[in-house]
Amino acid sequence: MKLSRFRLLLLSCFLIIEQAPQTTRASKILAVYAFPGKSHYMMHTALIRELIANGHQVTMIAAFSLESQKLGSNYTEILIEPVYDFWHDVKLSFGAQHLFELTRMDNYDFLKMLQIIGLKTTEHALKQPKVQALIHAKETEGVFDLLLAEQFYQEAFLALAYKYRIPIVTTSTLGYENHMSQMMGLITPWSFVPHGFLPFTDRMSFFERLKNSFVSMFEDLHRLLIYFPQMDALTQQHFGNVLAEVPKVKDMEHQISVMLLNSHAPLTTARPTVDAMIPVGGMHIYPPKPLPADIKAFLDGATDGAIFFSLGSNVQSKDMPADMVQLFLDVFRSLKQRILWKFEDDMGALPPNVMIKKWMPQADILAHRNVKVFITHGGLFGTQEGVHYAVPLLGIPFYCDQHLNMNKAVLGGYAISLHFQSITKDILRDSLMQLIYNATFKENMKQVSAVFRDRAMDARKSAVYWIEYVIRHKGAPHMHLAGLDLNWFQFYLLDVILFVVATIIFTLLVLWLVVRLLLGSDRNYRKAKRH
Ligand SMILES: *[C@@H]1O[C@H](CO)[C@@H](O)[C@H](O)[C@H]1NC(C)=O
Ligand SMILES: *[C@@H]1O[C@H](CO)[C@@H](O)[C@H](O)[C@H]1NC(C)=O
């Protein structure tokens, strides 16, 4: 009896020891979030907070300070100063006065723009003395366990993984993009997977497929032939005397162990993927916090419902042409609903049912039961919040993935999307009326919301799990697709196709020769017989 209890004790000890490797020890993570995109930091901040909360130590090359997050002594910040004003480059390169003009920018210019701002912001960050110190550090062994980088035109930083000999996890704030196929060893059919910046769905007409293929191919070739050489040069310039051999961007991307994507069904169309691409959309959404007293009172008293209006952090309402501001105010004045408008400047006399503020706790406002409509630019983070709290959307998309997000929302029956330049009082009023009083929008939104929230694992937990997984399994080489090590003609089986075609042609040729020979000798035989 005693013995068996002892055995039980021993056994449970073993069980604990057995399980120990599952819980990753506190790891030292080098994070590079050098791109100064305010909205991108919604995801980065949530992730770093979660890593710190799980006992990890994070050293971060940061475009914006996370000081306000009070992350404690396990967080070390290498702040890039000053913040790089990449919009200045954009306006300069494309002759735009303000971002409202970007609605007129075509996809090719947009892709070029991303690459310009990627190169400029990466160079700015690489030049920082504190970043240089990290690049030239003498000691590299065991300093870090993992490189966490943004999957967004910042590829030179991947060389840090070679310097410190650590695996890479990247995070994509835009979610899936077609050009990720090449880095993950995936074939993404352009026949039904729309490019991230096109307003198409997964059911495209012939001309949409034509355009989709053209834009996707343009991007792939532009990256390969124009963008990569520039990023390679930047990498060479900063890592040339640090690494024995400076890897090419294309090869560094093949070393990404896991990619965390800011997307989740049903907001992304079903598409081919690989085990290493993990959807963690909605990571930035926390349980709602109490609202500031004035906002709470304003919303609580909105007996006919409220409308929340915000164009996000890049496109600012205050830059809107004055006649448009007036148009919105006139329509709002005519409504019974109360309107909360994120407006970054002062405004003269306001209608009594309108409240403006420079900043608002967006997600917490959307969580309020009286909010009936969310007027949004259709950015991914805002769309996710609207969907999470099941608030029908009035979209005014400007650029990038906003058109796609809104188009998907319109097709899903939970949004109405308007083109900024063609908004009139009647269109705006009618759209708001539909969204408020026509129950179909809310019904559809509830269903979409239920799918979006239904997860095997919470988004933040999932992100941390996969980061720890990569550290535990030393880069998780078992997830690396062997296709990444093939030549492009091997990957697409062109060598096999060539071989099969050649064999068929050769066989036919031989058959033809044999037949000719037989016929020929037959003719000769008959000729000989006649003589
Ligand atoms: C820092 O991380 C260590 C483990 O590496 C943990 O024991 C400690 O509590 C953390 N400190 C703070 C302030 O969170
Ligand atoms: C409600 O919206 C749906 C979807 O847009 C539409 O088909 C229907 O006609 C609308 N109903 C009314 C009463 O406007």
Side-chain angles (χ1 to χ4, degrees):
M1 191 65 195
K2 263 221 166 93
L3 192 73
S4 77
R5 202 180 291 165
F6 177 70
R7 264 202 193 152
L8 207 67
L9 198 72
L10 209 66
L11 194 71
S12 56
C13 271
F14 273 124
L15 278 180
I16 290 165
I17 292 167
E18 274 293 297
Q19 279 171 0
Q22 279 304 318
T23 53
T24 300
R25 66 190 166 82
S27 301
K28 288 164 284 185
I29 295 167
L30 174 60
V32 184
Y33 289 123
F35 182 72
K38 282 260 168 62
S39 63
H40 296 217
Y41 258 72
M42 312 255 296
M43 184 179 184
H44 308 332
T45 308
L47 182 56
I48 302 299
R49 277 177 65 171
E50 196 68 13
L51 285 169
I52 295 287
N54 279 272
H56 298 295
Q57 296 176 0
V58 179
T59 301
M60 167 147 123
I61 299 179
F64 299 117
S65 178
L66 295 190
E67 203 186 311
S68 66
Q69 300 293 325
K70 313 229 176 318
L71 296 171
S73 57
N74 285 341
Y75 174 70
T76 310
E77 191 166 84
I78 300 176
L79 187 63
I80 298 164
E81 290 169 302
V83 174
Y84 192 85
D85 179 14
F86 62 85
W87 288 119
H88 179 75
D89 290 309
V90 172
K91 288 175 195 161
L92 216 66
S93 303
F94 297 96
Q97 288 301 315
H98 53 68
L99 298 179
F100 283 91
E101 292 176 14
L102 292 187
T103 39
R104 297 193 208 106
M105 191 181 250
D106 70 21
N107 290 299
Y108 309 107
D109 276 348
F110 202 81
L111 289 168
K112 283 184 221 156
M113 181 194 94
L114 288 176
Q115 300 177 353
I116 292 170
I117 64 181
L119 286 161
K120 295 273 190 185
T121 53
T122 305
E123 186 175 21
H124 176 68
L126 282 168
K127 278 193 198 150
Q128 303 273 316
K130 285 176 282 183
V131 176
Q132 283 293 317
L134 209 57
I135 294 174
H136 292 277
K138 289 272 175 300
E139 200 179 321
T140 57
E141 213 48 53
V143 177
F144 298 113
D145 299 308
L146 180 104
L147 175 70
L148 191 58
E150 179 165 12
Q151 190 60 56
F152 186 77
Y153 305 94
Q154 309 277 309
E155 292 84 354
F157 286 107
L158 298 181
L160 285 169
Y162 289 72
K163 159 96 183 170
Y164 289 96
R165 285 188 288 280
I166 46 177
I168 307 168
V169 169
T170 62
T171 55
S172 164
T173 48
L174 288 183
Y176 287 92
E177 291 189 85
N178 284 6
H179 70 246
M180 287 167 180
S181 309
Q182 285 87 328
M183 46 187 110
M184 300 312 277
L186 186 68
I187 294 180
T188 297
W190 297 334
S191 53
F192 71 92
V193 183
H195 186 280
F197 300 156
L198 290 176
F200 301 154
T201 70
D202 53 351
R203 286 163 211 276
M204 290 177 265
S205 69
F206 173 78
F207 285 105
E208 286 173 343
R209 276 183 286 127
L210 186 66
K211 175 136 195 204
N212 189 47
S213 307
F214 197 77
V215 171
S216 299
M217 183 162 10
F218 174 87
E219 180 177 30
D220 286 356
L221 293 177
H222 191 267
R223 278 173 75 81
L224 196 66
L225 303 176
I226 294 170
Y227 173 64
F228 280 180
Q230 296 179 59
M231 195 50 95
D232 281 336
L234 202 56
T235 317
Q236 180 67 40
Q237 186 190 334
H238 288 277
F239 289 88
N241 41 20
V242 176
L243 299 173
E245 195 186 343
V246 180
K248 297 273 184 236
V249 166
K250 192 165 160 288
D251 297 323
M252 293 198 286
E253 283 186 335
H254 288 176
Q255 298 310 316
I256 295 169
S257 294
V258 156
M259 203 184 267
L260 302 172
L261 303 149
N262 180 31
S263 70
H264 200 276
L267 297 189
T268 2
T269 46
R271 59 189 291 156
T273 180
V274 294
D275 292 347
M277 297 174 94
I278 315 289
V280 292
M283 246 173 71
H284 66 295
I285 305 173
Y286 291 87
K289 288 187 292 296
L291 289 167
D294 53 345
I295 294 181
K296 183 174 185 317
F298 188 74
L299 289 179
D300 284 349
T303 40
D304 289 298
I307 295 167
F308 176 58
F309 182 8
S310 167
L311 296 178
S313 47
N314 286 328
V315 177
Q316 306 224 306
S317 294
K318 73 174 167 61
D319 296 329
M320 222 189 249
D323 55 335
M324 283 304 281
V325 174
Q326 198 52 52
L327 186 152
F328 275 98
L329 283 178
D330 288 347
V331 171
F332 291 161
R333 188 177 287 114
S334 74
L335 298 176
K336 281 196 288 182
Q337 284 71 28
R338 290 187 170 180
I339 293 95
L340 264 180
W341 186 353
K342 177 183 166 285
F343 196 89
E344 305 79 5
D345 210 344
D346 293 330
M347 214 188 272
L350 287 172
N353 63 335
V354 176
M355 178 193 265
I356 62 167
K357 274 186 179 293
K358 292 189 174 61
W359 180 85
M360 299 209 201
Q362 175 160 300
D364 301 336
I365 288 171
L366 291 170
H368 195 284
R369 65 184 188 288
N370 284 350
V371 176
K372 304 284 183 224
V373 177
F374 176 20
I375 307 178
T376 172
H377 61 307
L380 203 45
F381 292 101
T383 307
Q384 287 171 348
E385 287 166 358
V387 167
H388 186 87
Y389 291 115
V391 181
L393 309 172
L394 179 68
I396 308 175
F398 290 95
Y399 54 85
C400 201
D401 61 335
Q402 297 166 3
H403 298 283
L404 178 109
N405 298 338
M406 278 304 116
N407 206 38
K408 203 158 165 33
V410 170
L411 278 157
Y414 55 92
I416 291 175
S417 185
L418 302 179
H419 186 248
F420 182 71
Q421 258 84 13
S422 45
I423 293 178
T424 64
K425 280 184 195 171
D426 286 342
I427 291 176
L428 181 63
R429 200 186 144 81
D430 290 349
S431 307
L432 289 170
M433 287 292 121
Q434 277 288 325
L435 289 165
I436 295 167
Y437 294 109
N438 184 339
T440 34
F441 291 99
K442 182 72 178 177
E443 292 301 316
N444 293 334
M445 186 48 127
K446 274 188 186 156
Q447 284 176 27
V448 168
S449 181
V451 176
F452 185 69
R453 283 161 164 251
D454 198 339
R455 319 260 174 129
M457 204 196 283
D458 164 84
R460 284 186 294 275
K461 286 203 173 61
S462 178
V464 170
Y465 170 82
W466 283 103
I467 287 170
E468 291 178 351
Y469 182 94
V470 169
I471 296 172
R472 267 200 299 276
H473 303 292
K474 315 228 171 323
H478 56 276
M479 286 169 93
H480 180 88
L481 270 73
L484 289 170
D485 309 325
L486 296 174
N487 280 320
W488 63 273
F489 58 86
Q490 291 171 321
F491 183 85
Y492 291 108
L493 282 177
L494 297 187
D495 50 350
V496 170
I497 293 169
L498 192 70
F499 174 79
V500 171
V501 171
T503 309
I504 292 171
I505 291 174
F506 180 75
T507 312
L508 289 178
L509 209 67
V510 169
L511 275 177
W512 181 71
L513 279 177
V514 169
V515 168
R516 228 181 86 134
L517 218 63
L518 285 178
L519 284 181
S521 56
D522 185 49
R523 233 186 342 255
N524 286 347
Y525 171 72
R526 267 182 281 163
K527 228 192 251 168
K529 215 172 148 193
R530 241 182 275 140
H531 284 287

